[in-house]
Amino acid sequence: MIRTMRPVIVAANWKMNTTPADAGELARTIASRTRVAGVERVICPPFVCLAAVRDALMDAREEVAVGAQDVHHEVAGAFTGDISAAMLDGLASWVIVGHSERRRDHAETDERVAGKLARAIEAGLRPILCIGEQLAVREAGSDAAAAVVVDQLWGAVMPNDADALIAAGLVIAYEPVWAIGTGKNARGADAAAMASAIRNGLRAIDWGDRAENVPVLYGGSVTAANIAEFLAEPSIDGALVGGASLKPDEMAGIVARAGVTGDARRSESPIA
Ligand code: PGA
């Protein structure tokens, strides 16, 4: 079987950190310290910092994509304080949807997340769909965890057209909720098992071989010290990094290790 070469992706989720005054410089510093061939880099600052980060990266001619941390599930209307896909035009080319902090703090349901995916597709934004189980579910065992995660996956993906999601470059981030911001990361083997469950979940809804091409990232307390454990797993294609993504040293270490995986994949690839 010819294995497809999936890209290696490191996405920085800055969450509710940085300001328009300091975000550009941080982005430029991280970009300059993570110039590694074969790794796609994305920085997702807060909405109000998107323009500063875009401008800083453009001025420095850095090939780092800019992503938003969320997008509204409706096209436009009476949604005070929310941001639509059209508003992101020219500011971001990627978007995170379904992050567990949004599900928790803004009561986002799978149905809403499906709407966000739809808006991302229409706007030509590359979506990173976040899914992951709570601690109690993980404690019930890996089958229980996989069932919950695949349910979230189906809830977000099934209302949308599979080909449109593939064309938009759908990326899935497996982020166990108990590992986010806690300093407790999942084991590499558990993340790999979940990546397989996710791709099997897509096959089960008739994605066929398209499932194999969907990048699956791991997220949850990723650092330069533990990234290798995840990237050693062939089914894991990179990381969605929160806390450590604000630290240039950490990002340098994470992306350097991602470059090792990128090199290995290129040398294995039949088209390399
Ligand atoms: P963390 O966050 O790396 O701080 O755990 C990851 C995420 O929420 O995307």
Side-chain angles (χ1 to χ4, degrees):
M1 188 186 100
I2 296 175
R3 204 154 67 85
T4 34
M5 192 184 61
R6 291 189 300 266
V8 180
I9 301 165
V10 176
N13 175 10
W14 285 359
K15 308 193 177 184
M16 199 171 74
N17 296 290
T18 71
T19 67
D22 59 29
E25 192 180 334
L26 180 60
R28 207 167 28 228
T29 305
I30 289 172
S32 72
R33 298 210 39 208
T34 55
R35 285 193 202 116
V36 173
V39 181
E40 283 188 46
R41 296 166 295 165
V42 189
I43 294 179
C44 304
F47 288 124
V48 296
C49 299
L50 285 168
V53 168
R54 175 202 59 192
D55 292 348
L57 294 171
M58 225 186 291
D59 287 350
R61 295 175 191 274
E62 295 284 3
E63 280 185 37
V64 178
V66 181
Q69 295 175 15
D70 181 46
V71 65
H72 199 267
H73 59 278
E74 295 287 353
V75 173
F79 303 103
T80 303
D82 280 316
I83 299 291
S84 73
M87 294 174 192
L88 297 172
D89 187 31
L91 288 172
S93 51
W94 291 58
V95 65
I96 297 171
V97 298
H99 193 281
S100 64
E101 287 156 8
R102 305 255 351 143
R103 294 177 192 259
R104 180 194 67 201
D105 300 339
H106 301 271
E108 290 187 359
T109 58
D110 290 334
E111 193 186 347
R112 293 244 161 126
V113 176
K116 290 165 188 279
L117 275 181
R119 302 293 84 76
I121 293 169
E122 290 159 7
L125 292 163
R126 187 165 187 189
I128 301 177
L129 167 64
C130 299
I131 47 182
E133 81 283 358
Q134 306 276 344
L135 181 60
V137 176
R138 171 53 63 180
E139 284 173 343
S142 50
D143 287 351
V148 163
V149 169
V150 169
D151 237 38
Q152 285 179 341
L153 173 72
W154 287 345
V157 162
M158 282 174 77
N160 289 291
D161 178 62
D163 284 327
L165 283 169
I166 291 284
L170 174 70
V171 172
I172 293 170
Y174 167 54
E175 298 208 305
V177 176
W178 49 270
I180 296 176
T182 58
K184 279 189 235 152
N185 58 282
R187 297 264 65 86
D190 288 337
M194 193 61 87
S196 298
I198 286 167
R199 293 201 178 93
N200 286 337
L202 291 174
R203 277 190 205 93
I205 53 171
D206 291 330
W207 278 47
D209 289 342
R210 293 174 295 189
E212 202 50 41
N213 295 328
V214 175
V216 177
L217 314 183
Y218 168 76
S221 297
V222 169
T223 64
N226 65 27
I227 183 68
E229 176 171 353
F230 300 102
L231 288 175
E233 302 289 347
S235 58
I236 304 283
D237 304 307
L240 179 55
V241 187
S245 76
L246 294 157
K247 301 177 187 156
D249 284 350
E250 287 287 333
M251 283 299 282
I254 290 166
V255 178
R257 179 57 189 77
V260 173
T261 295
D263 284 349
R265 289 190 182 188
R266 279 201 306 280
S267 66
E268 278 170 24
S269 161
I271 52 161

